[in-house]
Amino acid sequence: MLKKILKNLAPTSTQLVAVSKTKPAEAIQELYDQGQRVFGENKVQELTWKYEALPKDIEWHAIGHLQTNKVKYIAPFVALIHSVESLKLMKEIDKQAKKNNRVIEILLQFHIAEEDTKFGLDLSEAQEILNSEFYKNTQNIKVVGVMGMATFTHDKNQVRKEFRTLKKFFDELKKKFFENENSFKEISMGMSGDYEIAAAEGSTMVRVGSLLFGAR
Ligand SMILES: *Cc1c(COP(=O)(O)O)cnc(C)c1O
């Protein structure tokens, strides 16, 4: 399945984040042995023990809702945090990154789905953050793009529409805040059920779990 997904993503050069949540270390090692290096987890505790247990050249991404008081556990090693949806969380990431002498890359998570159970910012909230004094002076975080989750539905048009919305948000922020920053380039969208639509709509990073590892 890894090969098939990579083949589907190759024409658009979309990166695969293998979402290994709830799966044992052996399952991750198996994909690692096939060449996969980027893995995503949504629970801090799981992320930290897997980081300890598995090869050190794995790039670990935090993809789920992240509690402020847990940032310190992943700050020493996390490669990218996909789920930043408040100034408060951003401040904590900056603080912990500073303590670890690092710059941590983050994505702003947007609410694009119809369900209001899903987390995320709207465009004006994101702009407020990027206009804040705090953000202008921060040195230990780098905003490298946006992330979003589409509605869980079989309606492909709905999903496509939501991915287009996220792409539009990305384009607007790029123009307004990051025009000369090449590092602002990531659009994290697409999961097992909709990664091909996402890739076609401009995703640079899909987060695929069950299709790779089997149902959870
Ligand atoms: C679990 C999860 C995924 C992967 O979901 P699948 O449907 O198993 O591919 C992607 N993104 C986030 C934020 C997740 O929590």
Side-chain angles (χ1 to χ4, degrees):
M1 191 45 77
L2 176 66
K3 278 211 180 101
K4 187 183 162 213
I5 295 171
L6 290 176
K7 190 165 162 254
N8 288 339
L9 294 175
T12 47
S13 312
T14 312
Q15 193 184 21
L16 172 65
V17 180
V19 176
S20 47
K21 62 191 189 195
T22 77
K23 299 298 172 185
E26 298 76 54
I28 298 171
Q29 184 69 48
E30 210 173 289
L31 282 197
Y32 178 92
D33 292 340
Q34 293 174 58
Q36 179 67 22
R37 289 294 179 272
V38 183
F39 291 87
E41 292 280 342
N42 69 339
K43 296 234 162 61
V44 164
Q45 211 188 356
E46 206 175 332
L47 196 51
T48 47
W49 79 250
K50 285 176 174 172
Y51 166 72
E52 295 298 337
L54 285 151
K56 287 294 170 289
D57 62 338
I58 288 180
E59 214 184 275
W60 291 103
H61 290 195
I63 60 168
H65 180 61
L66 179 59
Q67 282 173 278
T68 314
N69 61 358
K70 297 203 170 148
V71 173
K72 57 177 178 284
Y73 301 114
I74 60 170
F77 66 89
V78 72
L80 179 64
I81 300 176
H82 289 232
S83 44
V84 177
E85 52 189 358
S86 70
L87 190 56
K88 183 173 162 234
L89 181 56
M90 209 187 236
K91 284 180 177 168
E92 180 63 16
I93 296 168
D94 184 57
K95 181 175 145 196
Q96 297 300 334
K98 206 167 282 162
K99 273 193 191 164
N100 286 280
N101 241 322
R102 303 186 60 206
V103 174
I104 296 182
E105 299 195 340
I106 64 173
L107 303 177
L108 296 175
Q109 181 171 356
F110 282 88
H111 185 267
I112 53 169
E114 275 187 335
E115 304 114 308
D116 26 287
T117 48
K118 285 182 179 151
F119 293 98
L121 302 160
D122 61 30
L123 190 59
S124 69
E125 289 168 332
Q127 292 184 339
E128 206 173 295
I129 288 176
L130 296 173
N131 276 319
S132 68
E133 277 312 302
F134 165 77
Y135 176 71
K136 285 177 191 154
N137 296 316
T138 180
Q139 292 183 335
N140 294 77
I141 46 177
K142 182 177 255 180
V143 179
V144 298
V146 301
M147 181 270 214
M149 289 169 88
T151 305
F152 192 71
T153 169
H154 290 297
D155 182 351
K156 291 206 158 93
N157 289 327
Q158 175 73 24
V159 170
R160 194 179 297 277
K161 196 179 82 189
E162 291 170 3
F163 287 155
R164 282 185 183 164
T165 301
L166 186 60
K167 173 72 164 71
K168 204 179 69 197
F169 290 167
F170 171 86
D171 290 340
E172 281 187 38
L173 295 181
K174 177 83 186 167
K175 200 166 81 191
K176 228 174 177 169
F177 298 95
F178 300 99
E179 191 139 59
N180 299 314
E181 285 183 47
N182 295 332
S183 55
F184 186 84
K185 61 179 169 52
E186 305 294 356
I187 304 177
S188 167
M189 62 186 185
M191 308 183 3
S192 288
D194 53 25
Y195 82 93
E196 287 171 282
I197 303 176
E201 294 302 331
S203 171
T204 65
M205 220 176 241
V206 292
R207 310 175 310 272
V208 176
S210 46
L211 195 61
L212 267 174
F213 291 99
R216 286 180 296 273

